[in-house]
Every structure is written in C-alpha cells, then in structure tokens.
Amino acid sequence: MRRAEPCTAEDPCPIRCRFSNSSILRRWSVNPEAVGFSALTIVLLLVLFYGGTFFVSTRIGKKNENADGYMTAGNKIGFGISAASMTATWIWASSMYASASSGYTYGISGPIHYGLWGALMILFIYPFGKRIRKVAPKAHTLAEVMYVRHGRSSQLMLAGSNVVGSVISLMSNFIAGGVLISMLSPFNFIQGVFAVAGGVLLYTLWSGFRASVLTDFMQVIAMLGAVAIIVPFIFFAAGFPAAFETGAANLTAQQSNFFSSEAFLNQGAPYIAAVLAYAIGNQTIAQRLFAVREDLIKPTFITATIGYGAMVIGVGMLGVLALYLGFTPTGGDLNNIIPEMAASYLPGILLALFFIMIIGALSSTADSDLSALSSIMMADIYGQNIAGKKKANPKTMLLVGRLTMVAATALAVALASMQMNILDLLVFVGALWGALVFPVLASFYWKKVTNKAFTVSVIAALAVFIPVRFDLIPMTGITAVLIELLAILGIGIVLGLMAFGFFGLRPAMVIGIGASVVAAPFCFGFLRDYTTLSASLVAYSVSTIICYLMSFRSTQNFDFAVIAERAGDFDTGEQPVAAVPAGSRNSTRTAQERE
C-alpha cells in the first residue's frame, strides 16, 4: 500500500503539484508502484464483496423460481428492505462521482444543488406512487400499465425509453467501477469494467429482483457507515479547515458564492427537471414501487429521501475540497476526483472501506438496472407482445429475463469503453424522460387521455428537445423567443406537477400559472444562453400542451378498474375479464379490444 506524503510547511498541498505535473500524471497511469493496492488485494476485495452477495442470492432464490417473484418479489416487501433498496438504487456510484464533479465545477453550492433536488424528487414520488399502486396493484412495469390504458404504441414507447435509460445507467456505473479499479490497482480501465460487470451479473442473474433488493439492504448500510467515516477523515487529512482559507484564491466569484446563479442555472434547475422525469419514467423506481407493501409507500420514500440527501451531499463535498486544494484530476477527467482524493489521503484500511463503498454503490444500481431490463423484456416484450398474456409461459419468461441480463451487460461493457462524462449522461437521460412525465401521470388520473394523444405528444416533445439540446437550431430571432416561451411554460408545468401530487389540481394550477407569469420577465432574452435547461423545460411543455389539446375534447371515459384486472400476475394462470358496467361497454373497453 502506497500513501500520499503528508503536508509540510514548504508544500502544504502536495496533491496540487502531484497531479498538475505531467510526468507525475503518467506515473499514476502506468507505474504499478504508485497505485493504491496490489493486484492480489483488489482481487480479494472483489471476491469478498461479490462472492458474499452471490452467496446471499443463493440463499433467497427459489428452486422453482416463478416469473412474478423474479420481477417484483410478490408485491409484499417490508419497510426496512424497501427503504434501503430505494435509497441504494437512487445512490449509485455515478451519483457520488457526479456530485463531486458538480462541487468541483460550481463550488460549494454544486453538491447542494445535486443532492438536495435529487432527494426531494424521491419525496415527490410517493403521492404519485400511491395513486399508481391503487390503480395497478399487481403490475410489474409502468409500460405494462400503459398497454392496458392505451395500447401497444404507448407501451413500447415507455418500455423503449427505459431500455435506453437503463443501458446508459448500467454503462455509467461500469465506467465508475472501471475508473476506480484502474486508479487503485495495476489493472487497467477495461479490466476494471469487466470485473464489475461480471460480479454484478453473477448474483443478479440467480434470483433477479429478490437478489437486488436484499443485497441493496446490506450495501446501503455499508455505504452510510463508510461515508460517515471516510469523508470527515479526508477533510481533516487534507488540512481542513485551514485548506478552505488558504485555497480560497483558487475559486472564481461564482464558485465561492453559495447562491451562485451559474450553479443553479447550469446544474440545479436542469437537475430539478431531470430528476422529476427520472422519478416518473424510470423502471428501477417503478419496480420498487410495485414491490413494496402498499401501506408502506410513504415511509419508504421519506426515509430514502433523507438517506440519499445526506450521503450524496457529503461525498460531493470532496469535489469542493479538491477545488480549494487546486487539485487537477488526471487527464482533466472529473470522474477521477473521488478515487484520486481517496488514494491521496486515506490509510490502507480506510481505502479498502472506500473501495467497498463505491463498488457497493455502483452495484446496487447496476443490479437494479438489470432487474428493470429483464422485467421489461419479460412482461412488455415477451409477455404481452410476443406470446400474449394468455399464452405466456412463466418458464420461458424467466429464460428471457436471464438472457436479457447477459445481453444488457455485454452491451453496457462495450459502451463503457467510450468513457463519456457521467454528469452529462444523467442530465441528458433525465431531460429525455421529461417528454413522458405529463402523458404518463395524466394517464393515471384523467379518463380522457387517448393513445394518440400520448404517442403524438411524446414524439413531438422529443422532436423539439433534441435540436434545442444539441444546438441544431439557431437561438436567435423569433426561434429563440418561441423556445423561451415554451421553456417558461415548462417552468410552470414542472412546479405545477410537483404541487399536484401533494395538494391537488386547483393549487397546482395556481402555482404553475403563477410561476410562469413571475418567470416570464426574467427569462425572455436570458434562457437562450442555457440550452440544457431550456431543452429540459421544452420537453415538458411540448408534451403537456399537445397531450392536453388532443385529449380535452375526447369522448373516452376510461374505467381505471380495468387496469387492476388486466395488469397482473403471469404465474396464476388466471386471466380475469374486466367487469364492465351494463350499458357502458364502449367506454370501458381496453385499447387492445378496440384494436
């Protein structure tokens, strides 16, 4: 084990010179003597962690596994397991890396914007979650519900977006693992990616969602304990609080301002919109929503809110510390901040604990992504679109789910070699899901929403979002004004949706309209300079406006009881027929029946 040299009077911040000198950077990359652990130590730590989780998964798997248990564990998970699983799923290695990147980029307010809004979005899930479970108590995926509610096109659109999102999430967690292992051992990045991918697949493949939630419980306990020890230790080892006085000159005026407008507009505001979209559109969240006991939804999500916020903000402060120290990450890659800070200031035993903490964080989310992808392929693709619910074979579904995990792991490993910026990926995927938020939520509350309204609104929102996000259209003249108008409406829609879950329709409309009116004078001529934020808001506004305009005159009067009867277990062999009130057959038929 090689440790960083202690600070001296002549060189109070050795990390600054160590990482800013090009020859030293090369040493970190290629010299085995400069790494944190030997190859044998890393192998033993990985075997200990993944071997232990695999052993646990073999204890909970059933000899004769069933498809419904593999996807949602019988819809009866208790408070402790479900709260820990929700926390661990939301806290991934990418969250820690991205929070530190935000702190390094935007200063003291960066981790606050990242962690606080992410935590509050977990809280905002539960009122919508209660409605979703009431409507579809036995469902496995949101897309499965959309099939009953609207039809095949809406289902595949939501399922497809989740496949893309989960593969990107899986890839970013493998990137985080590869970076960590390459920084702390003689192994290179690709070898690290393969090690993490193989370990996660090993235990998740065995018993699916059951393995994911139970190992989440162990992982989140370990992560919380590790953060409580490691973050304070690094701060004091780096010379806190003196480092914050001597390093203040390394910050710009915006980075040193707790109420930084740059941090809010580039990080906080886009993340508010992105995380709300994650909360509603992400199958990993929906899967836990369908698995937890219905009466435990509220305490589960409140507990996860507190756990996520405390851990992610705490780890993100390492990025702020690195900024004050004048630290330059290897190759300018912000994903390297956390592992390099840990390697510089932690003694051997704590560095091992740090390694397990990050591996646990990324594994807890990677196994959730694999479980989500397998559920989508089992329930949405095979169960309803290939075999049909009446003919779906549960054993074949299990095979489909396991093959999906293997294929998704291979694809994510291939994509991980690109080493894209994790923070950019998170914001992009969240904004992409913003196009789905209103159509999905409206489909659980409003009887008039049609399949055509859902499909057209989402496609139109994506058609506007992509060119705005990637600057494919000039943000000048009338075009810029129209984009800003849509973005201003998006501000009201995001805040209105948040208020709707807790307070109902009328307060939500007041808050939403009021927010747009108040924001308008400040945003015209201003938002055009912030394309990430504008694109996220435009995705919300376009999908909401079109979905509403195409639905409010609709004659459809959907009976929500049909969902509970038709979206349910695959293993029972029972296919209940919807109870249709006399004289209302046309108004309550499902989309499949009409087709």
Side-chain angles (χ1 to χ4, degrees), residues 218-273:
M218 300 185 303
Q219 290 158 359
V220 79
I221 296 301
M223 284 189 288
L224 287 170
V227 168
I229 297 171
I230 288 171
V231 173
F233 189 97
I234 292 177
F235 262 75
F236 286 106
F240 176 83
F244 276 71
E245 299 174 4
T246 59
N250 294 323
L251 278 67
T252 65
Q254 283 287 325
Q255 288 173 331
S256 60
N257 182 6
F258 184 80
F259 299 100
S260 168
S261 60
E262 183 178 327
F264 178 75
L265 292 170
N266 285 302
Q267 171 66 56
Y271 199 59
I272 294 172

Side-chain angles (χ1 to χ4, degrees), residues 67 74 97 116 143 240 275 314 330 386 398 424 434 448 489 520 594:
Y97 283 32
L116 178 62
F240 176 83
V275 180
T330 300
I386 295 179
L398 284 169
D424 289 344
K448 289 179 172 290
L489 294 175
R594 289 194 298 275

Side-chain angles (χ1 to χ4, degrees), residues 149 446-450 554-560 584 586-589 594:
R149 179 66 177 85
W446 194 17
K447 297 180 178 181
K448 289 179 172 290
V449 180
T450 64
S554 168
T555 58
Q556 179 171 280
N557 188 28
F558 185 80
D559 182 3
F560 286 106
S584 59
N586 291 334
S587 64
T588 59
R589 286 187 302 162
R594 289 194 298 275

Side-chain angles (χ1 to χ4, degrees), residues 431 465 468-470 483 487 530-540:
F465 163 76
V468 174
R469 175 63 180 82
F470 295 104
I483 294 299
Y530 297 89
T531 54
T532 300
L533 174 57
S534 296
S536 301
L537 295 172
V538 164
Y540 277 92

